[in-house]
Amino acid sequence: MKYKSLIFLVAVLSIVSCKTSKKNTVKDADKNEKDKKELVRKDKEEVFYTEQIKNDFRSVTETAQKKFLESYNATDKEYSILFFTQGFTGEEVVVKNDNNTLYKGMVLTNKKTGLAKNMRIVNTDVTSIYDKATKKTIYINTDKARKHKFIYVMKGNVNEDKPYKITFSDKLRPEK
């Protein structure tokens, strides 16, 4: 009788542990699939940009930065602010994430402020930026976007191999 209860207990524990690991395996598989999706997008396309992380420039006060984020409803961790800065001359730009189109329109840099356009993005989705003038697409990948609140995109000489520069930062730059 003791052996039957022991065998029954071992069988029940085995079944329970199998179900638990199966759930974890499904979650892990979904996570790995999403990671692969992000890598495939970047690897399939030619890279037309350089990336940098920079926090050592002049910035607005913490209070002003907080008010700015509140005005865009971007205080939660999953949001970042995307800025188009120098080098945009009125070309049409399409900004998309995994779910929908965030912006489609002309982008023109203001010579006095150095800014062209800004918008809130979801930093847990890969964001693509298509420049119709150059017919090039650049990607804001989630690995760096999640870690930084502000993302600045600058357009340089279109004849270069990598005319775009993406700067990730935790500091909000003031208008010039």
Side-chain angles (χ1 to χ4, degrees):
M1 187 72 170
K2 288 182 181 179
Y3 292 114
K4 287 183 180 180
S5 359
L6 183 61
I7 291 173
F8 178 73
L9 180 63
V10 169
V12 169
L13 290 175
S14 297
I15 291 170
V16 169
S17 67
C18 289
K19 285 184 180 178
T20 303
S21 68
K22 185 176 181 180
K23 285 181 183 176
N24 288 339
T25 304
V26 170
K27 286 180 183 176
D28 290 344
D30 288 344
K31 184 178 182 285
N32 288 339
E33 189 64 33
K34 186 175 180 181
D35 290 343
K36 285 180 187 175
K37 181 179 170 185
E38 290 177 10
L39 291 175
V40 167
R41 282 189 178 164
K42 190 171 181 181
D43 292 341
K44 272 187 174 181
E45 298 289 330
E46 193 173 340
V47 179
F48 299 111
Y49 55 92
T50 57
E51 295 178 332
Q52 67 177 358
I53 297 170
K54 191 172 182 178
N55 285 314
D56 61 346
F57 52 80
R58 190 171 57 95
S59 63
V60 300
T61 64
E62 289 292 322
T63 307
Q65 182 170 308
K66 184 178 178 185
K67 284 182 182 178
F68 180 84
L69 290 171
E70 287 171 353
S71 70
Y72 279 88
N73 293 326
T75 55
D76 294 338
K77 286 178 100 173
E78 69 265 12
Y79 298 117
S80 293
I81 303 292
L82 174 65
F83 290 91
F84 291 99
T85 61
Q86 301 171 7
F88 292 92
T89 57
E91 53 270 35
E92 188 171 346
V93 173
V94 180
V95 181
K96 294 182 178 182
N97 66 11
D98 290 341
N99 299 321
N100 54 15
T101 300
L102 302 174
Y103 176 77
K104 182 177 182 179
M106 306 300 242
V107 177
L108 177 64
T109 300
N110 181 331
K111 301 289 183 189
K112 291 181 182 178
T113 63
L115 297 173
K117 177 81 179 152
N118 58 316
M119 67 196 70
R120 181 183 79 166
I121 63 169
V122 177
N123 58 27
T124 56
D125 293 339
V126 174
T127 301
S128 66
I129 302 167
Y130 177 71
D131 183 348
K132 286 192 175 183
T134 60
K135 295 182 175 64
K136 294 180 180 179
T137 302
I138 60 175
Y139 295 97
I140 309 294
N141 289 308
T142 60
D143 58 339
K144 290 184 182 142
R146 280 187 233 168
K147 296 176 186 173
H148 303 283
K149 211 58 172 166
F150 303 102
I151 303 164
Y152 300 92
V153 177
M154 182 180 94
K155 183 176 180 180
N157 184 350
V158 294
N159 295 323
E160 294 177 1
D161 290 338
K162 296 180 180 182
Y164 301 95
K165 181 188 262 184
I166 302 171
T167 303
F168 298 92
S169 182
D170 294 317
K171 304 265 184 168
L172 175 61
R173 293 179 184 170
E175 291 182 358
K176 286 186 179 182

